[in-house]
Amino acid sequence: MMSNPGMFDLSGKVALVTGATHGLGMAMAYGLGGAGARIVVNGHSSREKIDKAVKAYRDEGLDAAGYRFDVTDEEAVVAAVEQIESEVGAIDILINNAGIIRRVPLLEMPLDEWEMVVKTDLTSVFIVSKAVVPRMVERGGGKVINICSMMSELGRDSVGAYAAAKGGLKMLTRNMATEWARHNIQVNGIGPGYFATEQTKPIRIDGHPFNDFIVGRTPAGRWGNPDDLQGAAVFLASSASDFVNGQIIYVDGGILATIGKPGNET
Ligand code: GCO
């Protein structure tokens, strides 16, 4: 037995983070960059948005490069991974974070919208991991982190497709760990609770019943700050988690730990 002061150090590692131009993806990428990793920023919406994010990372003194590709398009993903590995280097860490949400009751949700949510939030993780992981196998190891949700465990009105995808992602994470741990690839998940992001803005309005409900339902008594995810991300990306496989770390201020309390109880 011996101490291992460098176990959270990511110096020299290359980390691909999908959907890292904003929100939770950006916060986790900042965390990995701060621990020494070179950040590969994936985005899809616009080149400008990617360049703006890369500039922000670099202004913080981090080593970042931006790649625009659609995580649901297998051909584009395979080509992008090829390009990243030749231009930046071997991908040691993959954070599958890119995702969307549609808040529509199931009986009103058109099939194409259901398919888009499931494809973006679940199938894309299969597509991107399938392009990256064979190279990790060849190199003798790597880290895969899938961004789950409270909806990996709990249902909620209007987010059925999202919950189906995030529930599926929890089990995909466990099965990836089952198949890839033998190659020294640790596959785990992070389950963010309710965080203050663009995605939750519509339900996080002062005085909005859902906003008050979440603050009351969360033992920490607040919405999460995206930076609250950095610790779990660095842990799961580093050698500190070399014997951690198929786990979902819920960073949720205690929501899943409690039945909650009546609205009027302080
Ligand atoms: C919602 C929210 C959630 C959160 C998060 C919770 O509408 O309920 O957007 O989906 O974003 O996923 O873990």
Side-chain angles (χ1 to χ4, degrees):
M1 256 185 285
M2 54 191 284
S3 71
N4 178 0
M7 66 180 151
F8 293 105
D9 180 19
L10 302 178
S11 303
K13 301 284 185 186
V14 172
L16 167 59
V17 183
T18 66
T21 61
H22 63 288
L24 303 183
M26 189 166 209
M28 290 183 282
Y30 268 123
L32 299 189
R38 304 178 62 191
I39 310 164
V40 178
V41 178
N42 155 258
H44 177 219
S45 50
S46 74
R47 185 73 238 175
E48 293 68 41
K49 204 170 174 188
I50 294 170
D51 295 343
K52 188 165 165 262
V54 168
K55 183 179 179 311
Y57 290 115
R58 290 179 180 165
D59 288 351
E60 287 262 330
L62 303 180
D63 180 337
Y67 289 82
R68 183 182 185 194
F69 58 93
D70 175 356
V71 292
T72 68
D73 176 340
E74 187 164 33
E75 226 177 286
V77 168
V78 169
V81 168
E82 181 76 41
Q83 190 188 359
I84 290 165
E85 296 232 332
S86 64
E87 293 174 357
V88 180
I91 297 168
D92 305 290
I93 301 159
L94 168 62
I95 298 192
N96 287 306
N97 166 75
I100 59 171
I101 192 165
R102 293 288 178 276
R103 299 186 179 94
V104 181
L106 287 167
L107 294 179
E108 295 160 29
M109 179 170 259
L111 177 58
D112 61 348
E113 216 162 293
W114 165 275
E115 287 172 340
M116 186 175 59
V117 171
V118 173
K119 191 168 188 187
T120 309
D121 297 356
L122 178 60
T123 308
S124 74
V125 176
F126 168 67
I127 291 172
V128 178
S129 304
K130 205 174 151 207
V132 170
V133 167
R135 298 156 182 270
M136 290 178 169
V137 172
E138 274 164 32
R139 289 189 293 263
K143 301 277 182 179
V144 177
I145 304 168
N146 298 331
I147 305 310
C148 298
S149 160
M150 291 293 94
M151 275 71 227
S152 297
E153 302 286 345
L154 303 172
R156 180 173 102 71
D157 275 5
S158 82
V159 293
Y162 183 82
K166 292 296 187 178
L169 185 53
K170 176 178 78 176
M171 286 315 301
L172 177 59
T173 300
R174 292 188 175 155
N175 221 83
M176 285 176 167
T178 303
E179 292 187 16
W180 302 339
R182 70 195 71 164
H183 304 296
N184 188 32
I185 297 170
Q186 291 79 46
V187 184
N188 294 287
I190 293 175
Y194 279 84
F195 276 67
T197 63
E198 279 306 306
Q199 194 242 49
T200 58
K201 219 177 202 164
I203 56 173
R204 190 167 35 86
I205 302 155
D206 274 349
H208 186 292
F210 191 77
N211 179 45
D212 303 342
F213 166 71
I214 285 296
V215 172
R217 176 78 178 71
T218 307
R222 66 172 174 89
W223 289 74
N225 303 319
D227 293 351
D228 287 327
L229 291 179
Q230 293 187 344
V234 171
F235 167 62
L236 292 177
S238 68
S239 62
S241 59
D242 279 357
F243 196 55
V244 180
N245 290 90
Q247 300 303 311
I248 315 292
I249 300 181
Y250 287 103
V251 182
D252 66 354
I255 286 183
L256 290 179
T258 180
I259 192 173
K261 60 181 173 31
N264 54 12
E265 214 181 272
T266 51

